[in-house]
Amino acid sequence: MTPQRRVILEELQRLRTHPTADEMYMIVRRRLPNVSLATVYRNLEVLADNGLIQRLEICPHQRRYDARLEKHYHIRCVSCGRVDDVPVRDFPIIEKIPKRLGGYQVSGYQFVFIGICQNCRKRMKNKK
């Protein structure tokens, strides 16, 4: 665990959002002013590959990261891209579908709700 990796992990664990690497870079720079964007990208991938954080590939052309490792679900705003946790623990029927269809043993899955967040709905309403 390098000093940079530790700071990245600590900062991600403090967040309730699901930042992109660029957003993490801006956050980490407050503590490590000389850190490079490439270092943040590389270390987020190392942390994800080692199972210390989750890599969320739920937004087109954009990875997000989550320090929360227990099974949970997400919702993504199709207007602004915001990603939040959904306070639902299990969808057991989903885990049974691949096994019945093709004999798969499920090792994990990502289930993402999509919608429009409260802030975007307010902005849309105010434009009318």
Side-chain angles (χ1 to χ4, degrees), residues 18-21 45 55-59 61-65:
H18 303 81
T20 63
E45 291 301 309
R55 180 186 300 117
L56 304 176
E57 299 189 43
I58 58 179
C59 301
H61 314 293
Q62 188 179 67
R63 283 186 179 161
R64 291 182 172 271
Y65 299 89

Side-chain angles (χ1 to χ4, degrees), residues 97-109:
I97 292 170
K99 190 172 190 172
R100 283 191 303 213
L101 293 177
Y104 284 85
Q105 178 180 348
V106 176
S107 59
Y109 58 91

Side-chain angles (χ1 to χ4, degrees), residues 1-127:
M1 180 69 70
T2 65
Q4 294 93 342
R5 199 168 295 153
R6 183 176 319 282
V7 169
I8 291 167
L9 181 59
E10 288 171 358
E11 291 300 322
L12 186 58
Q13 288 171 334
R14 291 177 204 211
L15 298 174
R16 291 287 168 233
T17 61
H18 303 81
T20 63
D22 290 339
E23 291 167 342
M24 279 305 302
Y25 169 66
M26 298 307 290
I27 292 165
V28 170
R29 282 192 59 199
R30 294 180 199 144
R31 286 180 57 188
L32 301 172
N34 295 323
V35 72
S36 71
L37 180 58
T39 297
V40 172
Y41 268 93
R42 185 176 54 255
N43 281 290
L44 284 167
E45 291 301 309
V46 168
L47 290 166
D49 289 344
N50 287 297
L52 297 171
I53 64 173
Q54 286 190 59
R55 180 186 300 117
L56 304 176
E57 299 189 43
I58 58 179
C59 301
H61 314 293
Q62 188 179 67
R63 283 186 179 161
R64 291 182 172 271
Y65 299 89
D66 190 351
R68 211 174 137 200
L69 296 176
E70 66 274 6
K71 184 165 61 170
H72 65 286
Y73 304 95
H74 299 96
I75 186 163
R76 178 177 59 88
C77 178
V78 295
S79 181
C80 68
R82 174 181 167 167
V83 176
D84 288 306
D85 291 334
V86 174
V88 175
R89 293 281 179 223
D90 275 325
F91 289 116
I93 190 70
I94 290 174
E95 294 179 10
K96 293 177 184 176
I97 292 170
K99 190 172 190 172
R100 283 191 303 213
L101 293 177
Y104 284 85
Q105 178 180 348
V106 176
S107 59
Y109 58 91
Q110 291 186 1
F111 187 81
V112 180
F113 295 93
I114 58 171
I116 300 175
C117 72
Q118 186 175 11
N119 292 339
C120 289
R121 284 195 332 268
K122 284 180 186 175
R123 272 196 306 271
M124 290 174 187
K125 188 177 180 180
N126 289 339
K127 286 182 179 180

